[in-house]
Amino acid sequence: MNWITRRAPDNDSNMPASPPRFVFFVVFCITIGGLLFGYDTGVISGALVVIKDEWDLSNTQQEFIVGGTTLGAIVGGLFAGVFADRWGRRIITFLASLVFILGALIMTFSKHYSVLIGGRVVVGLGVGAASMVVPIYIGELAPKEFRGRLVTLNVLAITGGQLIAYLIAWGLTDVHNGWRWMFAISAFPAVVQLCCLPWLPESPRVLICRGQEDRARAILHRVYGSKVPESMVDEELESMRNAMRTENSTRYRDLLQAINYKPLAVACLLQLMQQFSGFNTAMYYSATILKMAGFSSTKSATQFSIAIAATNMVMTIVAIAIIDRFGRRKLLLVSFVGMIIGLVVLGIAFIFIVGLVKITKDTCAEYAICGACTLDDKCNWSPGSAVCAAKNDGLFSDLTDVCDSTTTRERAGTWLALASLVFYVALYAVGLGNVPWLVQSEIFSQGIRSKAGSIATATNWVSNFVVSVTFLTMTQHITASGTFWFYAGVLSIGLCFVFVMVPETKGLKLEDVQKLFTGSGVPFFARATRVPAKPTDSTDDESVQDAAEFSDTALTTTNPPASITRHVRRNSGRSTNSSTSTGLINR
């Protein structure tokens, strides 16, 4: 695991080369929530194609089975945000585990469509709580030198859960009641997490809020290791105390203050872009999309969807390895550009397969192409007669909802669709799949972090719900190609937003990241602004030096003009005893 334990070259020399084993144990236990998140959102891809046939579901019914989890996640994320500060991160993790188990049991034994929807909503409560609290929990426990990679391990757990779900779905596709076993298996990781919880510590920042500084100090010693100087632990505690002094009594309306609404806008818009990129349609409906693309059976479509999940997981590992070296902002920009290209090509591939045909014909006979015919939930294709007919049409004995790619054009489109989908997922995993969660755990001050995080998480799930319950309908009304190009257009807008609004946060203490959003203007525009350095009673020279070092980091990580960087470096050695001393930072 050298890609996690390797320390970046600009880190504090007092820090150990790798986090203590205790940190890895804690992160492993916490990220089981991420694994469950990934499994419960990924398993529906394989289960849906079986349930659809078994229960004869319409497109709208399929969309609501998928969207049920998302709907629950909206409520679960808001609930976790409200109570995470009051009850602590560990209690919310415990409750999420119980909810995952309950949801798994309801889905497993459901005999009616409405009960299955209810189970999906219950699981969604756990997914929403986990998606909100896990990155914050890890971010508050992790040493800052390793925070980016350790928080991103949660995304690795999510992608790992999705891959496991795809593999299990593939193995159980042809098994009687296999989809019930797919749902039942999700209860086991939640049981493991419940067994781990007694050994998990509470977040040091939460303990300081409660006045339990001795416990917070003990946890920091375990987090940083026995060889770390006491002065470093004292500095970390003092940094937290300073944040507490101004953040003890925060309310949701405090998010309207300038220092809070700017990072809130960044977090919410990143989460919005993550969903309106269309990625989760690729995960929820991957088997369905591949059947549209010409893979000949449910088994083969599910099998090739494993390649998509595996790509997501492998590229997430790559992201973890490079995120603290290349930075959050740069990976986002690369990710957006690559995903736009992938979606444009995917739309072109579907023109080869189904053409630019709206699935809104009055009669099935109006569809001349198998791909377009089978997208209409009231029609099936007759390979022998090469015509589209109603599902209950007794004139044809070979009606099927599977299209074999018979022409060179169709075969080329099928494999181009798979290749572009894999490319699109790879670029998503490198940046947009990871960075919003990491940035969300970094950019808010302690007192408002849970409340702001719950709103950003709810934004993610609301937009996820909108996308998941409209995807199949959009493919019918604006064609599959038009749907993918719509997502590409949204990403183009998002690319502009990231370029203008998202600052670089790598290598900064959580308490320092908020300084990027002080003052007027937008965070990124490379213009130096003087911001008061933090006042101290007896170590003013050290405070000014700290502010200057922070300024230098903030500027150099976003590639500012050389003149600004030189100016910061010239001032980084100055000291003063004035309480109005200033440091330069880039916003």
Side-chain angles (χ1 to χ4, degrees), residues 14-63:
N14 290 322
M15 285 296 300
S18 66
R21 292 181 180 178
F22 169 72
V23 172
F24 284 111
F25 168 75
V26 169
V27 171
F28 167 78
C29 295
I30 297 171
T31 53
I32 291 176
L35 180 77
L36 289 164
F37 174 174
Y39 186 91
D40 282 308
T41 55
V43 72
I44 197 62
S45 173
L48 188 62
V49 292
V50 179
I51 297 171
K52 173 193 172 184
D53 294 336
E54 186 173 321
W55 289 1
D56 193 25
L57 300 178
S58 67
N59 280 347
T60 301
Q61 288 176 314
Q62 293 177 68
E63 288 173 336

Side-chain angles (χ1 to χ4, degrees), residues 251-301:
R251 293 158 292 185
Y252 274 98
R253 68 183 183 184
D254 294 331
L255 290 168
L256 299 177
Q257 298 174 3
I259 195 171
N260 292 324
Y261 74 69
K262 288 182 181 179
L264 181 63
V266 168
C268 289
L269 286 170
L270 281 177
Q271 296 290 11
L272 189 73
M273 289 298 134
Q274 187 185 77
Q275 294 307 317
F276 275 92
S277 69
F279 171 78
N280 276 320
T281 63
M283 302 309 295
Y284 298 156
Y285 296 106
S286 60
T288 303
I289 292 171
L290 290 174
K291 284 192 73 175
M292 290 180 191
F295 288 91
S296 59
S297 67
T298 297
K299 189 83 171 180
S300 66

Side-chain angles (χ1 to χ4, degrees), residues 366-386:
E366 296 180 61
Y367 298 112
I369 301 174
C370 176
C373 171
T374 55
L375 286 178
D376 192 323
D377 57 12
K378 67 178 182 293
C379 304
N380 274 342
W381 183 258
S382 169
S385 304

Side-chain angles (χ1 to χ4, degrees), residues 198-333:
W199 288 273
L200 289 186
E202 186 52 88
S203 162
R205 289 173 172 82
V206 172
L207 294 175
I208 289 177
C209 287
R210 297 173 178 172
Q212 300 174 358
E213 293 194 9
D214 289 342
R215 289 183 62 192
R217 178 184 294 275
I219 291 170
L220 286 175
H221 273 295
R222 298 190 72 183
V223 165
Y224 283 99
S226 58
K227 296 182 180 179
V228 171
E230 188 72 21
S231 59
M232 178 175 289
V233 176
D234 290 337
E235 180 185 345
E236 188 74 13
L237 285 170
E238 182 60 29
S239 178
M240 294 178 193
R241 290 189 202 104
N242 289 337
M244 294 301 101
R245 291 188 185 109
T246 57
E247 299 158 4
N248 281 335
S249 57
T250 58
R251 293 158 292 185
Y252 274 98
R253 68 183 183 184
D254 294 331
L255 290 168
L256 299 177
Q257 298 174 3
I259 195 171
N260 292 324
Y261 74 69
K262 288 182 181 179
L264 181 63
V266 168
C268 289
L269 286 170
L270 281 177
Q271 296 290 11
L272 189 73
M273 289 298 134
Q274 187 185 77
Q275 294 307 317
F276 275 92
S277 69
F279 171 78
N280 276 320
T281 63
M283 302 309 295
Y284 298 156
Y285 296 106
S286 60
T288 303
I289 292 171
L290 290 174
K291 284 192 73 175
M292 290 180 191
F295 288 91
S296 59
S297 67
T298 297
K299 189 83 171 180
S300 66
T302 304
Q303 179 180 344
F304 280 104
S305 67
I306 293 173
I308 296 170
T311 299
N312 190 24
M313 184 175 180
V314 170
M315 295 309 293
T316 298
I317 294 173
V318 172
I320 294 172
I322 66 177
I323 196 165
D324 281 332
R325 183 172 298 272
F326 287 90
R328 290 71 160 139
R329 175 184 162 79
K330 186 181 295 184
L331 289 182
L332 272 178
L333 293 172

